[in-house]
Amino acid sequence: MSAAPEYRVWALPGIPEVRPGDDLAKIIAGAALGEGLPGLADGDVLVVTSKILSKAEGRILAAEDREAAIDAETVRLVARRGTLRVVENRLGLVMAAAGVDASNTRAGTVLLLPEDPDASARRIREGLREALGVDVGVVVTDTAGRPWRKGVTDFAIGAAGVRVADDLRGGVDAYGNPLVATVVATVDELAAAGDLVKGKAGGLPVAVVRGLPHVVTDDADEEGACWLVRPAVDDMFRLGTSEAVKEAVSLRRTVREFTDDPVDPGAVRRAVAAAVTAPAPHHTTPWRFVLLESEESRTRLLDAMRDAWIADLRADGLSEDRIARRVRRGDVLRKAPYLAVPCLVTDGAHAYPDARRAAAEREMFVVAAGAAVQNFLVTLASERLGSAWVSSTMFCPEVVREVLALPEGWDPMGAVAIGRPAASPPARPARDAEPFVTVR
């Protein structure tokens, strides 16, 4: 019968106050040889708090520079609540205040994270091999909160000589079920184990984990803890709620060139669900969305609209050449793999005997339709779908109703071309809101 798996973890006493320029490998080696300690052995893992690396590397600033330091370390705002900022820092880590910390440092100073924690871990590992002749793994840690969970925990921001993750994909569990998504963040589990004995205020910045030699590696190509930073394209929780809304609004651009990729009908329906939360007069629901999911339905509608448009242009006296150019410019709807036709239904409108109030009543409903379409477009953008809202159906409502077999009271409010953008749109120029504001 094989022995049950086990490991030991202990804090390493005797680490003095670290100052800029100190050789941490020598300091740790000296502490490991302290009286009554088991020393270090091949296969051990050292779990080292990043604070002492920051001090040794001179990553110390005066406290009055804290906000400026956070700004300098920030590459992207993730969420802001009052004065608290959760940001992505230059290391790609998402943390409160970019990891700029005022704890475990002299009053009046703050600590920045090491510039390259993986390189810092390699230097400690190489220094310990030179000083003690041992091959150990090194994990550099910091503390952060986690989405959906109260409290903080230590996690790895740097690593050397340690298998960063255990990729179990392609294997099976104890019941023979295939593992398709399981990648264990080994260095994060080591970081948390070390923190249980180091603590946050005990002056014990280094822990030793023994009994897990299989996680220690001499593979020169082993990636550091930076491998665990999730790429933006795979990050489903990249922003806080209010920030996500702002980004979705900024992503909402008119797209006129689409790929041939099919559009997920579920994504469009989620956009409709957002659209129908728009404000509307008299507690009505004056919106309908006709979704043209088949190529046949799109072609039939667009052909009929083109014929009606050509007839109108001929009635305006335009030459055939000018008509052809106009029609070509309107081909954005044909380029899209999916169309939606938002319609306005005013059966809940109040009847007024005079034209002035009747016109104002209809305008209220048209405004509500615009609000719904804006919700629709913004939600499509959040689904990474491009769109173009084109007014053409408004010029031939009878044709649209006939081709799509819609009730007489449904007024088409343009058409929305939907698809995956063929290219990233150019950056939106900054627009100052003040010229659009009047204060009384």
Side-chain angles (χ1 to χ4, degrees), residues 134-430:
V134 293
D135 283 321
V136 298
V138 178
V139 177
V140 177
T141 72
D142 202 68
T143 303
R146 302 150 297 161
W148 311 296
R149 303 284 289 180
K150 295 180 181 178
V152 297
T153 185
D154 267 24
F155 71 112
I157 66 170
V162 181
R163 192 167 61 204
V164 171
D166 192 6
D167 191 345
L168 303 180
R169 291 173 296 183
V172 296
D173 64 16
Y175 293 92
N177 300 309
L179 300 173
V180 295
T182 304
V183 179
V184 178
T186 306
V187 286
D188 283 347
E189 296 190 326
L190 290 165
D195 189 54
L196 289 174
V197 295
K198 290 191 286 96
K200 301 299 182 191
L204 298 168
V206 179
V208 181
V209 179
R210 176 167 293 174
L212 300 173
H214 62 282
V215 306
V216 177
T217 177
D218 281 324
D219 187 352
D221 295 327
E222 184 73 32
E223 297 187 74
C226 62
W227 181 86
L228 292 173
V229 176
R230 191 185 300 277
V233 69
D234 297 329
D235 189 352
M236 295 177 66
F237 311 102
R238 187 164 167 76
L239 294 168
T241 302
S242 59
E243 292 73 21
V245 171
K246 292 175 185 175
E247 178 164 286
V249 171
S250 69
L251 285 174
R252 205 289 309 154
R253 306 293 297 277
T254 296
V255 174
R256 300 187 180 278
E257 297 289 341
F258 303 94
T259 69
D260 293 331
D261 296 339
V263 172
D264 174 17
V268 179
R269 282 161 175 76
R270 289 190 290 273
V272 173
V276 299
T277 65
H282 316 314
H283 305 289
T284 58
T285 54
W287 324 279
R288 304 293 186 270
F289 285 81
V290 184
L291 307 181
L292 278 62
E293 297 183 342
S294 72
E295 184 176 358
E296 186 275 332
S297 65
R298 295 191 297 273
T299 301
R300 190 158 46 88
L301 174 64
L302 296 176
D303 285 350
M305 289 172 54
R306 180 192 58 199
D307 293 344
W309 191 14
I310 291 173
D312 285 344
L313 294 174
R314 284 174 177 161
D316 292 339
L318 271 66
S319 69
E320 292 301 314
D321 184 57
R322 291 183 64 190
I323 290 172
R325 288 200 300 270
R326 289 274 196 98
V327 171
R328 281 196 298 272
R329 285 202 299 269
D331 272 351
V332 61
L333 295 177
R334 291 188 183 273
K335 297 176 182 177
Y338 197 110
L339 292 182
V341 179
C343 294
L344 174 65
V345 178
T346 59
D347 53 9
H350 292 175
Y352 290 100
D354 61 287
R356 175 181 59 82
R357 287 186 293 170
E361 179 76 3
R362 178 172 174 79
E363 286 178 0
M364 286 198 305
F365 280 81
V366 171
V367 168
V373 173
Q374 173 71 352
N375 282 4
F376 184 67
L377 300 178
V378 168
T379 307
L380 289 174
S382 74
E383 298 272 358
R384 297 303 189 263
L385 288 170
S387 64
W389 186 15
V390 181
S391 61
S392 52
T393 67
M394 301 175 70
F395 290 88
C396 53
E398 299 86 358
V399 171
V400 176
R401 282 193 290 264
E402 180 181 355
V403 171
L404 299 182
L406 303 180
E408 181 64 28
W410 289 27
D411 292 334
M413 305 299 289
V416 180
I418 303 169
R420 297 286 175 191
S424 297
R428 186 190 296 275

